[in-house]
Amino acid sequence: MKIALLQCNSITGDVAGNMERILENVQQAAAAGAELCVTPELALCGVAPGHYLCAEDFAEGCRKALDHMAEALKGGPALLVGAPVPSVYASGLLSNAAVLVHKGTWQVASRKIYQSGQSGAQGSGPDAEDSRYFDKGISCGILTLGGWRMGVVLCEDAHSEEEAFWKTRYASGHNPLMELVQRGVDALIHMAAAPYSEGAQAAGEHMLSHVAARHHVHLLSVNLVGGNDSRIYNGQSLVFDPTGQLLARGKAFEEDVLVVDTAPSAPGGASSGVKAPEPLCASVEEDCWRALTLGTRDFVRKCGAEKVIVGLSGGIDSSLVCCVAVEALGAENVTGVLMPSPYSSEGSVTDALSLAQNLGVVTVALPIEPAMTAFTQVLAPGLDLFEARPGDTTFENLQARIRGTLLSSLANRAGALVLNTGNKSEAAMGYSTLYGDTVGALAVIGDLTKTQTYAVARWYNAHKGEQIIPQQVFDKAPSAELRPGQKDEDSLPPYAELDPVLEDLLLPATPPVGDNSSPLRLEVRSKLFMAEFKRRQEPLALFISRMPFGAGWQAPVAGRYRLP
């Protein structure tokens, strides 16, 4: 039987547009001989629809789309599409369902089962959000088509089998997966929307291969692709044979129509007509780069914008963000803004200009000294009311806020979005200025530590085969340049020491990194907790780690971590 996995990029809420894209993919699959097409979960309405589901006409719009698809596919292949439908378990709720569209009609084939108490970043993601609007689900359905009995699975995913649907026995006493196996299925169809995070693809492939081999069934897993707010979906849909051998893998970070033939062509059971699986990315840095590029492109375009504004300081953070923006949107849609102060080094300006020239980006220079002078004069009567304090950063922060105002004003005129250039290390330590460094619609590298930022930037230059990001940007000591001779290490531990401790605090390792009571660890932990109020006011960040701020990791804002 030929089955097509439609690895589509849905826009949340755009039911009409998503329907059209799915039908186009079905036509492509039909031309390749597919008898059944399968989409990721919620492909019709888009992933994590949230309160859209409460709008009185939204569910009705999905029903009309299903009616239209049934009519359009009367003579075409069967389609298994992810969509919200009215619940049969809980009045007033919906079910996250797999709907079979076939021979001019449609019917619910399976409903998603939500677990409670899911741990980890993924458990705090779209599944946790959607569970407020959808019923919990009870069991999975079986689809009979072309002589095949296929169990249809929509479930929460996890990085380890012990935490996943695939092994969990529920409090009610039954195991939904074993229930399918005991009822006799030839294959499992897994409709997924699993967000990208570092290492998740390899872990997921290992787990699903084990499931296919253990239960001796074909396993077809179709995953969403595209950016949705902070989350990025990497596609890479999978097909395993009953021995657990990988037969096919969809493209990474791209839409794809993956057609496989489950008919055995040899006594060993290998499937015929299957091309070699698409390769995995060659490195963590390549994975990260492609995720950031896709996430940025989709965020900007799905927000209805085309152009972006990037503040260029000549540092590694703004350099990498500008490179991502050009890759995602094209140089013609990116404007670089240089905003030197009296404390800016000549090298920072020339490095920023060199980068922009290498990328083909238009720049504008807006020196901020006149604005600094004007603000100082205007503020003087107010500042005189308060006694100066040691370590006062009023005028340092003023520079960042002036820059934030300039970027936002240019974005207003251009009808563009500002891309924030802060990284995760700075956010963790509170090393940023509210309403200044935190300005922007999207924090492109907000989930990359400083160490990771350097690594991805080096990979980018190597990938391009030339020094797009000037070598001087890598060589200079990181600095905000808000006062003469300032360096980041005046306020923070060296990033090479800070970042491993930070990552361990966010996602504890066994054994822990270093001494739990070391001064460095205590300093990092203290600043990490104290800076939560700033992180709550920062823009959306693209999630690439297993424990991003705002999803997997949170702390109280008005708290005080103090033990006896």
Side-chain angles (χ1 to χ4, degrees), residues 148-317:
W148 279 67
R149 283 173 58 81
M150 295 169 280
V152 182
V153 173
L154 301 94
C155 65
E156 293 185 61
D157 290 291
H159 293 150
S160 67
E161 191 175 353
E162 285 69 23
E163 296 176 339
F165 162 93
W166 307 103
K167 194 172 182 180
T168 303
R169 181 173 297 280
Y170 290 83
S172 59
H174 78 282
N175 181 313
L177 176 60
M178 287 306 301
E179 186 178 274
L180 284 177
V181 174
Q182 289 167 1
R183 290 166 64 187
V185 293
D186 304 298
L188 294 172
I189 294 180
H190 176 216
M191 301 166 69
Y196 167 80
S197 65
E198 184 181 334
Q201 182 68 25
E205 291 191 14
H206 177 78
M207 180 186 71
L208 293 177
S209 171
H210 186 200
V211 170
R214 184 172 62 198
H215 301 296
H216 201 66
V217 292
H218 284 84
L219 195 156
L220 302 92
S221 178
V222 55
N223 192 30
L224 195 69
V225 70
N228 178 260
D229 292 351
S230 290
R231 293 180 178 88
I232 304 158
Y233 299 85
N234 58 301
Q236 294 183 293
S237 302
L238 302 165
V239 180
F240 298 93
D241 74 7
T243 70
Q245 178 185 351
L246 178 65
L247 297 180
R249 181 192 294 117
K251 294 178 180 178
F253 304 103
E254 296 180 38
E255 289 189 289
D256 197 8
V257 175
L258 186 64
V259 180
V260 294
D261 191 343
T262 58
S265 60
S271 297
S272 62
V274 179
K275 66 176 183 178
E278 290 286 339
L280 293 169
C281 293
S283 66
V284 171
E285 290 77 21
E286 181 185 358
D287 245 352
C288 182
W289 169 261
R290 296 185 67 181
L292 296 179
T293 302
L294 176 60
T296 300
R297 180 186 300 119
D298 274 4
F299 183 88
V300 172
R301 291 180 177 171
K302 290 180 181 181
C303 284
E306 295 181 0
K307 299 181 180 297
V308 295
I309 305 290
V310 181
L312 296 179
S313 67
I316 194 68
D317 298 329

Side-chain angles (χ1 to χ4, degrees), residues 359-427:
L359 292 170
V361 168
V362 171
T363 63
V364 60
L366 305 176
I368 66 170
E369 185 173 11
M372 292 168 62
T373 301
F375 266 95
T376 300
Q377 293 172 347
V378 171
L379 279 169
L383 295 179
D384 289 343
L385 294 175
F386 307 101
E387 185 177 346
R389 298 175 293 105
D392 181 26
T393 58
T394 299
F395 291 103
E396 292 184 21
N397 290 337
L398 178 59
Q399 296 172 59
R401 292 182 179 126
I402 291 170
R403 289 176 170 131
T405 299
L406 297 179
L407 292 172
S408 299
S409 299
L410 291 176
N412 285 157
R413 173 57 64 92
L417 299 180
V418 175
L419 296 184
N420 183 277
T421 60
N423 64 61
K424 191 173 189 177
S425 302
E426 294 168 347

